[in-house]
């Protein structure tokens, strides 16, 4: 089985702050990391090849430094890595990105047929969760989003069975290969690579592909191929805490206040509770 | 792991990476272990690096985009009391021209990463996020490799270089180094304060990416044997303050309290006002000097840099000693491997090279300096206070005759310090630096 994983290098959002005056991201001094969801995707892909045989190819679109995200995936056990780096790719939104990645995957598949594409559920810097579905749609693959368990893959019969999260529960669904999965964090824990695997990952050559290698149409790449424009970035207003009824001084008073406010504000809820009690 | 290496290096700081560069250039198969996520991630950010020692390893470091923050053209020394103090400085245009990059500031997180990348390009294998937990020994006690915390993580090598910094439990556990005593290490805290480049250039009277360093002694360390520094980076200032660990233990002062008080000092406030604190970090420094240097090599191993306690407290030099000792270790290793003898005897040229170089000569010259400061706490108490009194009184114009003032000052000095104590201080200070 041949699995392609799409990974992205993102700023460590636990460190990114928003400048309250200019409403722009303060990225200076912020480290880049491999998107945590994508690391899980790579781990899951490697586990599947351990279960069913085959190999994993990781791809990433980004600047030359994105190489380090690819090496992290190689250390987990991916066998090949391709970096998509070209000035023409810069400034891509999810539309242009999914176009670029799907072109790449079809090129890869032309040489070595692809059974599965696995992406993280979303990237922590944009949280859009659009790239995976965009790729599946363009390639005509079946798509399974928010996958929480890969139950089985049957390459002979071209089928896959997965569990996915839906509101209020989960569903078990089966579909045909080739397929694209986007995965939840809980699906796997990226392993702490053994020393020989890490050494291999650090030394392996990483191919770099540009627009030419993937046979892409220039007008659909990068900024030119991106209809989305960022209007404004802002920090959500800080939530104010609820009212505090301080009972340290005067307990009776605090309870009285509470009951009064509660009856006034939450009367529908109370009515509902009382009516249920009757029934 | 099955694969073996000629040389295993523990630590991708200035010492380890310098060695890796020289070894890789000579075609020696080298692996470097770094516990940080990337080289520099765990290191004290901000500091002065010296062009001379770097150029001996990477002559064209500027062309290779070395992340230089500011080229230092002026060194200031401040001697402060609580309320004021003296400021001396030396600036020379030669440091902006022929001797450019004699000293320059770097942010260690960036610099160490860049430096390790140069070693990688030369062919060394740099392995981050990997802790060396032990050394592999043969039945005669010789070192034959490194044990890391990863699965299948034992690596055999002909020679192992310990370049793991001051906090080197590895060397201590192996019995190569005695655990330093509290009075032989200093604890320093550092804060990087962000300011626009123009503001820094205006406040320090520099331009074109030039910069200034300030070394500060006096009452700011709360009577402890310590020092503070202010270094200019491109768009930040690195403030650091530290003191002898034994003094911290007796004074019960906390490092961050010291830093906060330092930031409130009237001479410091105007330099940092309006700045945004960006990072805060604490680190040890080897202060024991020459007499605490361990045996520098043995069967199959060598020790370099901070791990070997190579730090010149008098001149605040450490990174250069680390680079120079790493380079000399590599040179000795190349010879030893060439002769096929990596025993203690085969590696002995390391000791010889160091002894002949400025590294051990300087450390020897100042071998009494640490103890001198540690014993003469008046340098950090009475003297700065008295010096400030003298400065303040002599500068105040209030109708009192200068002779009268002088008398008052001398009386105050005599009240605080006996003649014998002053004589002893002068004698010891002379012995400490001659
Ligand atoms: C506040 C402060 C200010 C300073 N200012 C200056 C200055 O201005 N100029 C100057 O020249 N010097 C300065 N120094 C000293 C200088 O930083 C050191 O002397 C220098 O960094 C020593 O280099 P090194 O390579 O020996 O050790 P380090 O730089 O400490 O590098 C050791 C490396 O080994 C890694 N490591 C440790 N243990 C392990 C392990 N078990 N496994 C894997 N990796 C490990 C560490 O993560 C680290 O990256 C300063 C120090 C401090 C604390």
């Amino acid at each position: 089985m041949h699995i392609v994983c799409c990974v992205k290098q993102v700023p460590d959002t636990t460190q990114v702050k928003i400048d309250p005056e200019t409403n722009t991201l303060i990225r200076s001094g912020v480290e880049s990391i491999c998107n945590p969801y994508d690391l899980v995707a790579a781990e899951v892909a490697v586990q599947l090849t351990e279960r069913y045989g085959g190999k994993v190819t990781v791809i990433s679109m980004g600047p030359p430094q994105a190489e380090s995200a690819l090496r992290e995936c190689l250390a987990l056990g991916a066998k090949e890595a391709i970096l998509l780096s070209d000035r023409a790719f810069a400034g891509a939104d999810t539309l242009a990105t999914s176009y670029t990645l799907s072109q790449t995957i079809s090129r890869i598949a032309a040489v070595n047929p692809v059974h599965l594409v696995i992406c993280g559920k979303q990237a922590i810097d944009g949280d859009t969760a659009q790239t995976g579905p965009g790729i599946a749609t363009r390639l005509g693959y079946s798509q399974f989003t928010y996958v929480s368990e890969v139950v089985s893959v049957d390459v002979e019969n071209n089928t896959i069975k997965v569990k996915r999260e839906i509101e209020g529960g989960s569903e078990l669904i089966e579909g045909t290969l080739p397929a694209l999965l986007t995965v939840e964090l809980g699906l796997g824990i990226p392993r702490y690579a053994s020393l020989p695997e890490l050494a291999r990952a650090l030394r392996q050559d990483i191919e770099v592909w540009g627009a030419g290698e993937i046979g892409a149409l220039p007008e659909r790449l990068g900024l030119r191929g991106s209809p989305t424009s960022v209007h404004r970035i802002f920090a959500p207003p800080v939530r104010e805490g609820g009212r505090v009824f301080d009972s340290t001084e005067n307990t009776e008073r605090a309870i009285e206040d509470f009951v009064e406010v509660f009856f006034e504000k939450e009367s529908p809820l109370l009515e509902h509770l009382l009516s249920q009690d009757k029934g | 792991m099955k694969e073996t290496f000629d040389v295993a290096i523990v630590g991708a700081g200035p010492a380890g990476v310098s060695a890796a560069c020289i070894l890789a250039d000579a075609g020696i198969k080298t692996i470097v272990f770094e516990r940080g996520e990337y080289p520099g991630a765990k290191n004290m950010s901000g500091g002065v690096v010296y062009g001379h020692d770097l150029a001996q390893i990477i002559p064209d470091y500027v062309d290779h985009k070395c992340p230089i923050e500011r080229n230092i053209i002026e060194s200031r020394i401040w001697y402060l009391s609580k309320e004021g103090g003296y400021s001396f400085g030396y600036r020379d245009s030669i440091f902006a021209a022929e001797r450019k990059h004699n000293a320059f500031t770097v942010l260690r997180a960036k610099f160490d990463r860049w430096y390790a990348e140069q070693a990688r390009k030369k062919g060394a294998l740099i392995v981050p996020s990997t802790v060396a937990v032990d050394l592999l020994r043969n039945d005669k006690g010789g070192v034959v490799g490194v044990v890391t915390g990863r699965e299948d993580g034992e690596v055999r090598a002909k020679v192992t270089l310990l370049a793991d910094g001051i906090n080197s439990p590895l060397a201590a556990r192996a019995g190569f180094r005695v655990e330093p005593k509290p009075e032989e290490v200093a604890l320093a805290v550092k804060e990087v304060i962000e300011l626009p480049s123009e503001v820094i250039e205006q406040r320090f009277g520099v331009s074109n990416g030039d910069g200034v360093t300030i070394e500060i002694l006096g009452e700011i360390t709360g009577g402890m044997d310590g020092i503070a520094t202010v270094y200019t980076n491109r768009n930040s200032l690195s403030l650091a303050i530290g003191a002898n660990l034994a003094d911290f233990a007796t004074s019960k002062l906390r490092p961050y309290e010291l830093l906060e008080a330092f930031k409130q000092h009237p001479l410091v406030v105007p330099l940092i006002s309006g700045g945004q604190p960006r990072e805060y970090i604490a680190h040890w420094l080897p202060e024991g000097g020459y007499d605490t240097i361990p045996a520098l090599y043995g069967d199959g191993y060598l020790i370099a840099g901070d791990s070997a306690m190579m730090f010149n407290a008098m001149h605040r030099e450490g990174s250069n000693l680390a680079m120079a000792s790493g380079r000399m270790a590599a040179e000795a290793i190349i010879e030893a491997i060439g002769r096929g003898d990596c025993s203690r005897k085969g590696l002995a040229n390391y000791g010889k090279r160091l002894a002949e170089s400025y590294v051990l000569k300087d450390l020897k010259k100042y071998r009494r300096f640490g103890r001198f400061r540690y014993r003469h706490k008046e340098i950090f108490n009475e003297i700065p206070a008295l010096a400030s009194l003298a400065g303040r009184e002599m500068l105040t114009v209030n109708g009192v005759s200068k002779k009268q003032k002088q008398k008052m000052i001398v009386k105050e000095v005599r009240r605080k310090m006996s003649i014998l104590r002053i004589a002893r201080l002068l004698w010891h200070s002379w012995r400490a630096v001659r």
Side-chain angles (χ1 to χ4, degrees):
Chain A
M1 176 165 55
H2 186 201
I3 306 177
V4 173
C5 255
C6 305
V7 305
K8 182 181 185 187
Q9 196 182 39
V10 294
D12 188 347
T13 50
T14 54
Q15 293 179 30
V16 175
K17 293 187 200 82
I18 292 181
D19 185 328
E21 274 162 33
T22 58
N23 271 332
T24 51
L25 295 179
I26 306 173
R27 289 192 188 218
S28 78
V30 175
E31 284 310 320
S32 292
I33 57 170
C34 184
N35 181 35
Y37 289 92
D38 301 347
L39 271 183
V40 171
E43 173 64 35
V44 169
V46 171
Q47 283 178 16
L48 285 174
T49 57
E50 283 165 352
R51 209 158 112 195
Y52 297 106
K55 70 160 191 175
V56 177
T57 302
V58 276
I59 63 175
S60 181
M61 184 182 93
Q65 305 88 278
E67 198 191 286
S68 68
L70 288 172
R71 289 198 192 278
E72 275 187 67
C73 299
L74 288 172
L76 298 178
K79 287 287 170 290
E80 265 173 56
I82 299 164
L83 176 67
L84 303 165
S85 204
D86 191 323
R87 271 172 209 281
F89 299 154
D93 66 2
T94 52
L95 193 75
T97 302
S98 56
Y99 171 72
T100 312
L101 293 175
S102 61
Q103 281 295 116
T104 308
I105 294 166
S106 18
R107 283 292 152 127
I108 294 171
V111 181
N112 189 350
V114 173
H115 302 94
L116 268 182
V117 175
I118 309 186
C119 303
K121 179 179 82 170
Q122 62 194 38
I124 57 169
D125 59 344
D127 288 342
T128 63
Q130 291 167 347
T131 305
I135 297 169
T137 308
R138 290 172 195 282
L139 292 172
Y141 288 11
S142 19
Q143 63 170 290
F144 304 89
T145 51
Y146 307 116
V147 171
S148 57
E149 190 190 332
V150 180
V151 181
S152 62
V153 184
D154 185 346
V155 179
E156 298 273 278
N157 298 310
N158 261 338
T159 56
I160 180 170
K161 206 187 277 178
V162 305
K163 212 187 224 176
R164 66 188 291 271
E165 293 307 306
I166 53 171
E167 220 175 313
S170 60
E171 62 182 11
L172 193 64
I173 47 175
E174 196 177 71
T176 55
L177 296 177
L180 179 139
L181 320 181
T182 74
V183 299
E184 298 272 3
L185 275 187
L187 196 48
I189 300 166
R191 68 193 67 184
Y192 187 59
S194 72
L195 189 59
E197 280 294 285
L198 179 59
R200 177 186 66 81
L202 289 166
R203 285 200 277 216
Q204 187 164 331
D205 281 331
I206 290 180
E207 272 185 64
V208 182
W209 289 7
E213 277 87 352
I214 61 169
L217 301 170
E219 66 273 16
R220 295 180 66 183
L221 292 174
L223 205 56
R224 275 176 77 192
S226 300
T228 320
S229 64
V230 178
H231 183 56
R232 191 160 75 95
I233 296 175
F234 60 93
V238 183
R239 274 207 216 166
E240 284 173 25
R243 183 162 164 198
V244 175
F245 302 93
D246 187 356
S247 64
T248 46
E249 300 253 312
N250 187 339
T251 314
E252 229 165 86
R253 183 66 203 263
I255 293 174
E256 229 168 70
D257 282 354
F258 167 72
V259 171
E260 194 174 303
V261 170
F262 189 68
F263 270 88
E264 204 169 286
K265 274 209 174 155
E266 305 290 345
S267 50
L269 177 69
L270 233 94
E271 256 168 52
H272 176 71
L273 287 175
L274 289 175
S275 70
Q276 276 203 333
D277 199 33
K278 262 184 242 150
Chain B
M1 70 195 272
K2 272 204 220 81
E3 192 180 355
T4 63
F5 290 80
D6 292 327
V7 182
I9 300 177
V10 183
V17 172
S18 299
C21 285
I22 301 282
L23 290 167
D25 266 343
I28 305 257
K29 193 175 171 197
T30 305
I31 189 166
V32 185
F33 299 106
E34 169 54 50
R35 66 178 168 185
E37 255 174 83
Y38 55 89
K42 298 252 171 193
N43 289 344
M44 192 86 190
S45 58
V48 176
V49 165
Y50 303 88
H52 170 80
D53 294 278
L54 181 56
Q56 292 199 312
I57 292 143
I58 303 185
D60 44 358
Y61 60 88
V62 178
D63 299 333
H64 281 96
K65 301 207 172 71
C66 174
I68 293 170
E69 290 289 317
R70 281 184 186 274
N71 172 48
I72 299 306
I73 58 161
E74 179 183 341
S75 297
R76 290 182 198 163
I77 297 171
W78 285 0
Y79 196 42
L80 304 185
S81 63
K82 291 197 181 82
E83 304 81 17
Y86 291 84
S87 166
F88 320 90
Y90 183 72
R91 178 183 287 218
D92 196 324
S93 57
I94 200 169
F95 294 124
E98 298 107 278
R99 294 195 195 161
K100 188 169 177 176
H101 296 152
N102 167 62
F104 53 86
T105 48
V106 299
L107 293 173
R108 288 287 300 275
K110 280 190 203 159
F111 176 80
D112 286 19
R113 200 175 199 175
W114 167 85
Y115 200 26
E117 179 59 20
Q118 308 309 305
R120 191 190 70 80
K121 282 189 190 149
K122 290 174 187 289
L125 178 60
I126 315 269
V127 184
S129 303
T130 303
V131 185
V133 291
D134 211 344
L135 298 172
L136 285 172
R137 314 285 284 267
N138 60 19
D139 44 9
K140 292 193 206 85
V143 177
V144 291
V146 173
V147 184
T148 69
R150 288 186 182 268
E151 195 186 313
D152 202 357
E154 294 187 1
V155 179
R156 294 196 159 252
K158 291 177 190 154
V159 185
T160 299
L161 173 63
L162 295 176
D164 49 344
I166 173 66
N167 189 5
S168 174
L170 216 53
R173 173 133 33 98
F176 298 154
R177 191 179 102 181
V178 288
E179 206 55 78
K181 297 192 197 75
E183 65 267 27
E184 291 165 359
V185 289
L187 174 61
V189 289
K190 187 160 211 163
E191 190 169 287
V192 175
I193 296 180
E194 221 163 40
L195 278 166
S197 176
E198 317 82 70
V199 173
I200 291 174
E201 302 206 333
Q202 193 190 1
R203 286 182 187 175
F204 288 84
V206 291
S207 57
N208 300 326
D210 288 336
V212 174
T213 60
I214 312 175
E215 323 280 335
I216 306 159
L217 285 172
E219 282 189 301
I220 39 149
T221 44
M224 298 185 290
D225 162 16
I227 191 169
T229 56
V230 177
Y231 295 156
T232 54
N233 303 316
R234 197 181 310 238
N235 42 33
S236 62
L237 300 176
S238 294
L239 266 65
I241 189 162
N244 190 288
L245 191 60
D247 283 350
F248 268 121
T250 32
S251 73
K252 303 271 186 294
L253 282 167
R254 285 163 211 265
Y256 65 84
E257 291 169 350
L258 220 54
L259 181 66
E260 283 314 306
F262 175 46
K263 285 164 67 181
Q264 304 294 324
H265 192 280
L267 267 77
V268 178
V269 168
L271 297 181
I272 61 170
S273 84
Q276 290 294 325
R278 201 174 69 192
E279 56 183 298
Y280 175 89
I281 193 163
H283 207 280
W284 307 103
L285 279 113
E287 291 260 321
Y290 188 78
D291 295 310
T292 55
I293 295 176
L296 291 165
Y297 55 93
D299 288 336
Y301 78 90
L302 311 93
I303 308 182
D306 272 12
S307 182
M309 306 291 281
M310 291 174 187
F311 184 72
N312 180 344
M314 177 76 180
H315 291 272
R316 300 279 102 191
E317 292 175 21
S319 61
N320 55 337
L321 303 186
M323 286 180 187
S325 59
R327 172 171 58 81
M328 290 176 211
E331 288 162 357
I333 292 170
I334 294 169
E335 290 167 5
I337 289 179
R339 283 195 304 264
D341 178 9
C342 298
S343 69
R344 184 182 150 71
K345 209 168 128 243
L347 294 168
N349 265 345
Y350 177 48
K352 225 167 114 201
R353 278 167 204 275
L354 279 171
E356 282 163 9
S357 75
Y358 82 95
V359 175
L360 288 190
K361 283 187 183 151
D362 281 2
L363 291 171
K364 200 166 175 180
K365 172 166 154 56
Y366 297 120
R367 72 194 297 173
R368 292 196 179 87
F369 180 59
R371 200 159 5 121
F372 162 72
R373 284 183 348 247
Y374 184 62
R375 286 216 197 131
H376 287 282
K377 291 287 151 51
E378 58 269 35
I379 306 172
F380 309 97
N381 285 316
E382 289 95 338
I383 299 176
L386 290 168
S388 268
L389 174 81
R392 182 187 290 162
E393 291 311 317
M394 293 312 258
L395 289 174
T396 305
V397 178
N398 57 357
V400 180
S401 79
K402 296 291 184 268
K403 187 141 193 198
Q404 183 79 24
K405 288 189 180 206
Q406 220 169 315
K407 249 190 181 161
M408 188 274 279
I409 293 164
V410 170
K411 209 171 130 200
E412 188 61 20
V413 171
R414 294 289 302 279
R415 199 172 69 80
K416 290 262 169 66
M417 295 175 69
S418 70
I419 294 280
L420 191 65
R421 201 164 153 212
I422 296 172
R424 199 182 291 139
L425 173 71
L426 289 175
W427 169 240
H428 284 164
S429 67
W430 160 243
R431 289 223 318 163
V433 299
R434 77 180 166 162

